[in-house]
Amino acid sequence: VGLVSEVEGQLAELRALEAADGTPVLRTSVLTHVVWAPPKWAGAALETLAGLEERHPSRTILLFPEPGRKAEIDVTVSMRCFALQGVSHEVCSEVIELRLRGKRARVPASIVTPLLIADLPTFCRWRGEPPWGAQELDQLVGVCDRLVVDSSEWRGLPGSYGELSGIFGRVAVSDIAWGRSRAWRGRLAELWPEIRGIRRLAVTGPRADALLLAGWLRSRLKRKSIELEHRSAKELGRVAVDGEAVAAPVGAPPSASDLLSEELDVFGRDPIYEAAVKAA
Amino acid sequence: VSAPEGNPLLEGLRLRRRPEPCVLVIFGASGDLTKRKLFPALYSLAVRRLLPERFAVIGVARTEQSTKQWVTAMRKAVEEHGRDEFDAEVWSALADAMTYVATDFADDRGEDAVLDVLRRLDEERGTAGNRLYYLAVPPAAFETIVHELGERRGSEGWTRLIVEKPFGHDRASAHALNEILARWFREDEVFRIDHYLGKETVQNMLALRFANGIFEPIWNRQFIDHVQITVAESIGIEGRGAFYEQAGVIRDVFQNHLLQLVALTAMEPPIDFTADSVRNEKVKVMRSLHTPGPKSVVRGQYGSGFVEGEEVAGYREEPGVAPDSMTETYVAAKLFVDNWRWADTPFYVRAGKRLARRETTIAIQFQRAPHPPFAEVAGDGLRPNVLLIHVQPDEGVSLAVGAKVPGQGMSIRTVHMDFLYGGAFRTGLPEAYERLILDAMLGDATLFTRADEVDEEWALVDSIVAAWQRDRPVFPNYEAGTWGPRSADELIHRDGRSWRRH
């Protein structure tokens, strides 16, 4: 029995168990969600998932690469079920955890492709900085409709944005750091038309968010000369235009699950983001 | 693609629609609707940061109380009826924006007091003269308020008016109300609310029909045998005896919610999703609706019985109801939509109180398969396909299809494929009033009824009620907790059909 048959068989058994009381299990999917999480990111990936599945019921395929070990694949299958308010049914999502060891970590597409749900979009969340030019990245970009990254998890900024822009033609890209800056971009947009002459942008927050904001202004306003003054902080907390502080957006910033969830609602390329990355 | 409003920074910015600064003035601010629906909705909008940044609420009612007392009462209402967990910080921001004015609507001084508060709020909160008036008041107060508001409307900002049902009690009175409104407000400033249109599943009807290529080609008389629409409530009249005696189910539910569901089911595809395009198509349906005659309409009134195991009183024993009342609490009708798409396809509709369970559904029953080769071995008979749209509760869509029972032979069973809204999109369905209040703030009237729609709805109701003047049925004629009077079954059985199994 092959791995895929084994996975499908285990899922069928789990569905039968869930339906043991005679109530049929509803399996609802709006997408296939593939997560690439190197060991360092495994915990964070599972944590984000907990807040996400209820909003985007999907088949989730968690890929944990462990290239330094003996070549094998370890698989765990589970169902996460949620009661629906006022209804006797439960809705279940499938989670397939695959530990790709040794060489198997270089060829994820052959394992992922047969497990994708047909006719639904595939979103790949890549935790950490992708290994630009590596086979595993190349393969997953090939099977995904949308690659979701968080460039604030990267160390090689701003150079990595150049690498990222190299794959724009192959797959639509979402960046959690870009989503996080949305409310601030709204604030900056309110400064139109005075903001047309901006010379200096000061940002206190993650480096990625600051670079993207500056890139966005440079590309939208067609002013390459806008200088960025960045002060590092965990959260995007202050933005100033030519020394003048911009009013902060109202309310608490969205959670990691909220941000990822918003990206999973987006289809197609985002030319504004792509231009911001190129100008960052 | 050019940038919105010439601002290149707005392009591609997926910001949520947020209304312009405004003041919401609620007339009837101490009433049940305000407590149960309006404030919980406002609070949910505040939680999601969908209210304008510069915003205020004025509550106007006769009840003598201070702003502080009103705020306390509304907080309690939000805690009791809200769908979101109570957050003191969110509430505090909303409470800061609340002012209560105790006045009689007919009192000039009271209206002036409201105007003074509005001017003060414009200065303090920068609401720029934008007003959204919500008339959550009994029909008797309607004319006075509209007149007073019209007289005092300013030249700055926009003014919009949300009008609650009932909108008239017949065609003539609805026409008179429309004339009063038209004297002071343009049609695009009037938002006649039918909260059914704010329900996600009702809007999903449009998505189902017009976003899926597979349904529209068979959405016609050639493939559909008939349509059944049910608006059933298990509750009684909940202390609204005086109102219900005047209205009955035909004015309370049939004239508005039920006919809106018929219109959404039968309408032609609009060219776009703007208010006028959608409403133009709905009006065409309303104009082509008719019932073939008095025998195609059945009315009923519940007697005592059991609902969900509890013994309940009959309608005539309810407080505020005459012991010999002839008010109907149930209506069923066969309607026809006279156009090319629907000619000779019956729409069986029914609405009632104290029925077996709460349920609003639209069932599209397709024609039977023309020649099923395995009819003889069908388990429960090869039933026709039914597309069932659950409006409430259990929002979703299900499709009944025939499937082979595993094993020897060729036994066919009907199985349901369910799509439950909550299962696919677990974002928590917004309450209808949240969507509608927000739309009114944004000036989007797509989900509100237009004057000519209301007029056509009443034309049909008037024709039905006129026939009722000539006969006097024996009431009560159905037991509480059942699916209505026997005559309703006879109405559909005469055509060789039956109401859906429950």
Side-chain angles (χ1 to χ4, degrees), chain B residues 341-358:
Chain B
R341 185 189 284 263
W342 295 113
D344 303 325
T345 308
F347 282 62
Y348 299 99
V349 299
R350 55 183 170 165
K353 290 274 186 196
R354 284 281 187 233
L355 298 181
R357 73 159 186 247
R358 175 175 171 249

Side-chain angles (χ1 to χ4, degrees), chain A residues 45-62:
Chain A
L46 288 167
E47 207 174 291
T48 309
L49 201 63
L52 184 78
E53 282 174 338
E54 291 199 23
R55 290 173 60 176
H56 288 276
S58 53
R59 171 175 285 187
T60 299
I61 304 170
L62 287 162

Side-chain angles (χ1 to χ4, degrees), chain A residues 26 28 30 54-55 57 83-84 86-87 91 182 185-189 192 195 216-217 220 250-252 263 266 272, chain B residues 3 5-16 18 49 53 393-395 418-420 422-427:
Chain A
L26 291 178
T28 312
V30 294
E54 291 199 23
R55 290 173 60 176
L84 295 181
V87 186
V91 168
R182 184 180 303 128
R185 280 183 277 132
R187 282 302 195 206
L188 289 165
W192 177 265
I195 198 171
W216 172 65
L217 284 174
R220 299 312 304 150
V250 184
E263 295 310 316
V266 182
I272 310 290
Chain B
E5 298 161 30
N7 180 349
L9 301 181
L10 284 175
E11 197 178 337
L13 201 56
R14 286 178 284 126
L15 292 175
R16 283 174 173 163
R18 208 160 184 183
R49 301 200 289 273
E53 271 186 51
D394 299 358
E395 292 89 346
D418 289 332
F419 154 70
L420 286 189
F425 306 106
R426 290 185 53 86
T427 51

